[in-house]
């Protein structure tokens, strides 16, 4: 029914007192795994924390004091506090996860474990 | 889409429905493609912040038409990419804002950083605006 199941299953967030923004994501399917693109406009890489534990990938803002004296007449986005978590499929190699932040998009490349990838065998 | 799942109370079938994106259930397209905006006002300027993650500054077009400030982008998508989830796509948009009367059209500057476009609009001092108005009356 749902193709997303094969890539990453989102973990429902527990209710907390702090208000976290849930950033939008795109998930791209690749031959050897998949890529998660997360929209984080205005966020620098020092403000992003990424963690994998038991195949649970958590991406969240680094907790810090915010000195923001700007008063907005209109405020539609604010990524000071954000959090989103995904359960990765078992065949994803959690030791080889790469991420980069460019143009306000965090791209996380997840590859399958080498042993589950099809291997070409040459005939001697 | 915010949802809460209580595994212990919901039957597994229901839990499965709730764990899926609503767009996949209704078959609709829930991709966000209109950039969000923040606006702040200072004594000497207005600042507009447009969230355009994934859009390069070369692809953003800014122009003034009468009293409208128009921001747009039109880039082609990578057709070969296979998305299993698509929640944002700002590759093509058009957004317009009505310029306040006190904006100095020669004093508009724009910058781009980390997927945020910032446009600063210098404001003409109230006294100067009044002088202009007085001349118009004569």
């Amino acid at each position: 029914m749902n193709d997303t199941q094969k890539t990453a299953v989102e973990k429902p967030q527990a209710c907390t007192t702090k208000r976290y923004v849930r950033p939008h994501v795109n998930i791209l399917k690749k031959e050897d795994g998949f890529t998660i693109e997360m929209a984080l406009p205005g966020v620098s890489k020092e403000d992003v924390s990424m963690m994998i534990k038991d195949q649970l990938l958590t991406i969240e803002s680094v907790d810090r004091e915010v000195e923001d004296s700007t008063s907005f007449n209109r405020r539609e986005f604010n990524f000071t506090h954000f959090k989103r978590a995904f359960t990765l499929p078992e065949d994803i190699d959690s030791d080889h996860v790469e991420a980069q932040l460019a143009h306000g998009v965090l791209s996380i490349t997840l590859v399958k474990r080498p042993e589950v990838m099809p291997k070409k065998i040459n005939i001697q | 889409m915010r949802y809460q799942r209580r595994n212990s109370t919901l039957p597994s079938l229901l839990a499965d429905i709730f764990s899926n994106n609503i767009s996949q259930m209704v078959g609709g397209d829930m991709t966000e493609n209109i950039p969000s905006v923040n606006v702040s006002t200072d004594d000497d300027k207005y600042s507009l912040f447009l969230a355009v993650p994934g859009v390069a500054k070369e692809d953003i077009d800014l122009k003034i038409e009468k009293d409208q400030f128009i921001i747009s982008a039109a880039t082609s998508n990578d057709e070969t990419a296979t998305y299993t989830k698509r929640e944002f796509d700002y590759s093509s948009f058009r957004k317009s804002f009505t310029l306040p009367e006190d904006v100095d059209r020669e004093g508009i500057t724009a910058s781009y950083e980390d997927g945020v476009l910032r446009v600063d609009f210098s404001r003409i001092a109230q006294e100067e605006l009044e002088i202009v108005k007085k001349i118009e009356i004569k």
Side-chain angles (χ1 to χ4, degrees), chain B residues 80-97:
Chain B
T80 57
T82 319
Y83 286 96
T84 58
K85 199 184 194 76
R86 192 105 162 100
E87 292 180 353
F88 71 96
D89 175 16
Y90 301 107
S91 55
S92 259
F93 69 87
R94 183 190 154 97
K95 227 168 149 96
S96 63
F97 304 87

Side-chain angles (χ1 to χ4, degrees), chain A residues 10 20-26 36-41 43 59-61 78-79 81-86 104 106, chain B residues 2 85 87-88:
Chain A
E10 191 166 8
Y20 287 102
V21 168
R22 188 167 159 272
H24 284 139
V25 295
N26 291 337
I36 298 175
E37 295 175 343
M38 180 175 274
L40 294 172
V43 177
I59 304 134
E60 63 186 315
S61 51
N78 178 5
F79 288 89
H81 301 291
F82 61 86
K83 190 174 185 174
R84 211 166 161 173
F86 303 90
L106 176 71
Chain B
R2 281 211 167 268
K85 199 184 194 76
E87 292 180 353
F88 71 96

Side-chain angles (χ1 to χ4, degrees), chain A residues 1-5 7-15 19-30 37-45 70-79 84 86 101-105, chain B residues 1-5 16-17 19-21 24-25 30-32 35-42 46-47 49-58 81-90 95 97 112-116:
Chain A
M1 170 184 179
N2 179 357
D3 215 17
T4 312
Q5 303 287 359
T7 50
V9 180
E10 191 166 8
K11 185 179 179 279
Q13 295 297 316
C15 263
R19 282 174 66 189
Y20 287 102
V21 168
R22 188 167 159 272
H24 284 139
V25 295
N26 291 337
I27 299 177
L28 279 125
K29 209 168 185 174
K30 300 273 177 70
E37 295 175 343
M38 180 175 274
L40 294 172
V43 177
S44 57
K45 66 175 186 182
T70 318
S71 64
F72 291 97
N73 329 57
R74 177 171 170 183
R75 187 145 212 198
E76 294 177 355
F77 70 95
N78 178 5
F79 288 89
R84 211 166 161 173
F86 303 90
L101 188 60
H103 292 152
V105 175
Chain B
M1 198 66 44
R2 281 211 167 268
Y3 56 83
Q4 199 75 35
R5 184 166 70 173
D16 209 54
I17 290 168
S19 73
N20 292 326
N21 196 310
Q24 284 155 342
M25 282 162 58
M30 300 280 279
T31 306
E32 183 60 68
S36 299
V37 181
N38 290 344
V39 179
S40 70
T41 307
D42 289 307
Y46 297 105
S47 302
F49 303 85
L50 193 76
V52 282
V55 182
K57 68 173 181 186
E58 295 77 23
T82 319
Y83 286 96
T84 58
K85 199 184 194 76
R86 192 105 162 100
E87 292 180 353
F88 71 96
D89 175 16
Y90 301 107
K95 227 168 149 96
F97 304 87
Y112 175 95
E113 194 182 8
D114 296 335
V116 177

Side-chain angles (χ1 to χ4, degrees), chain B residues 48-77:
Chain B
L48 187 151
F49 303 85
L50 193 76
V52 282
V55 182
K57 68 173 181 186
E58 295 77 23
D59 296 326
I60 304 169
D61 191 46
L62 308 172
K63 64 178 173 183
I64 296 175
E65 269 178 28
K66 290 176 184 169
D67 65 340
Q68 298 291 303
F69 185 76
I70 300 157
I71 307 173
S72 60
T75 55
S76 53
N77 271 320

Side-chain angles (χ1 to χ4, degrees), chain A residues 50-97:
Chain A
M50 270 181 60
M51 226 170 59
I52 298 182
K53 194 182 176 243
D54 303 329
Q55 295 299 105
L56 180 71
L57 169 68
T58 306
I59 304 134
E60 63 186 315
S61 51
V62 174
D63 233 350
R64 62 187 172 88
E65 286 294 309
V66 191
E67 281 179 50
D68 196 356
S69 56
T70 318
S71 64
F72 291 97
N73 329 57
R74 177 171 170 183
R75 187 145 212 198
E76 294 177 355
F77 70 95
N78 178 5
F79 288 89
T80 312
H81 301 291
F82 61 86
K83 190 174 185 174
R84 211 166 161 173
F86 303 90
T87 304
L88 304 178
E90 282 304 317
D91 61 0
I92 289 297
D93 189 349
S94 57
D95 295 327
H96 294 92
V97 176

